[in-house]
Amino acid sequence: MTGRISFIGAGPGAADLITVRGAKRIAEADIVVWAASLVTPECVQEHARSDAELVDSSRLTHEHAVEIYRRAERDKLNVARVHSGDPSLWGAVQEQYDAAVRMNVEVEIVPGVPAFSAAAAAIGRELTVPEVAQSLVLTRLEGGKTPMPDGEKVREFAKHGTTMALFLSAARTGQLVEELRAGGYPDDTPVLVAYKVTWPDELLVRSTLGELEADCKKHKLWRHTLFIIGKGLTAGGTRSHLYHAGHFHTYRKADKEARRALRAERSVRRVEKPREQPEEPDSAKIKESEAAKLRESDAAWWAVRDWQETARGAARFGANRSIPIPQVDESQSQLFAEEPAEPEPVAPQQESATSSTTTAQATTTTGTTRKSTGTAKSGSAKRKAPAKPNTAKNKQSAKRKPAAKPDEQSE
């Protein structure tokens, strides 16, 4: 038996958008390392074991994280390293993964729902619209803390004219707008501004390239913001051939009449589509001159409950459980703190009708009740042994305190 290190994508924010596998790994973990400013507290509250050690990664360096993984190797522990979105996108997961695979532990990456996918779903749009946009560029604005490789400039990607999703760029929206313009996007190009998509304080703003900078300043957006830009956000495009009666594939034959109509439609579109005229030399020189001026003037500024209960095992006691949580560091000291709330009065005529509902609510609430027992050392926490279950007579619903505001993390 060896330990296991799981790098888990928690999704864009909402606790129920984590994958089933990701939630299971958190439920099985002895240590949960999570980004408190990027992952909602509910994701840990809902899935982590009551006796699991919680570590806020915003206070860790890479070396500190590796020490936790070495503990997992030495003591044969399960570690859940929880990243926001999908770990493969700007998650700094590669260096951690490479260090973990050199140890005598199981190592895995559990993918998550990326933020751009959640943003498109939030506004009910497909990002690959037939004959409008069939590609998606995922990138970020150059000039940040992480250098961009040569050739990976926003204006170069923008020349393709397809849909783009831009991360980690809200702090320099003015520079972003200029780069997109230089790449060929007109000012009326639609832009979706998605702030903390799927979080309780989610904000979605439909803007245009010309209004983007003003909209970001109006809403004071500079972190946790994703931009999606492209004609596909509003264009209708043509009907997809996948479910067209005239289209055939391995599992379905085409209807003959619909097939003829589809071919005729394609022929008409080919005839109506204007041919691209070659540019005249003078025009090309003028455009090159204008591009050179732009370059010179460019300023570089800136659930699923059965398996879950099994994984948690004896640490959970259902409705009768009242277990104190372990000590946590100051950044998480109020994360799981709770205080009893006064029971809401129930009208006499409603008592019998609501008795089963009240019991279910009490079961759910006490099943996740946790109390802080102090302050941890070294940014991590150890949990006390479970307390004896309270009797049904002493059951009370609990109300969570608002989570402590996490420390700001850099982009």
Side-chain angles (χ1 to χ4, degrees), residues 16-28:
D16 58 352
L17 277 178
I18 192 172
T19 65
V20 174
R21 184 182 298 179
K24 184 177 180 180
R25 292 296 186 262
I26 294 176
E28 295 169 343

Side-chain angles (χ1 to χ4, degrees), residues 212-226:
L212 180 59
E213 186 176 7
D215 284 338
C216 287
K217 288 182 178 179
K218 176 183 176 181
H219 296 284
K220 299 179 180 179
L221 303 179
W222 61 281
R223 296 182 73 245
H224 302 298
T225 305
L226 165 71

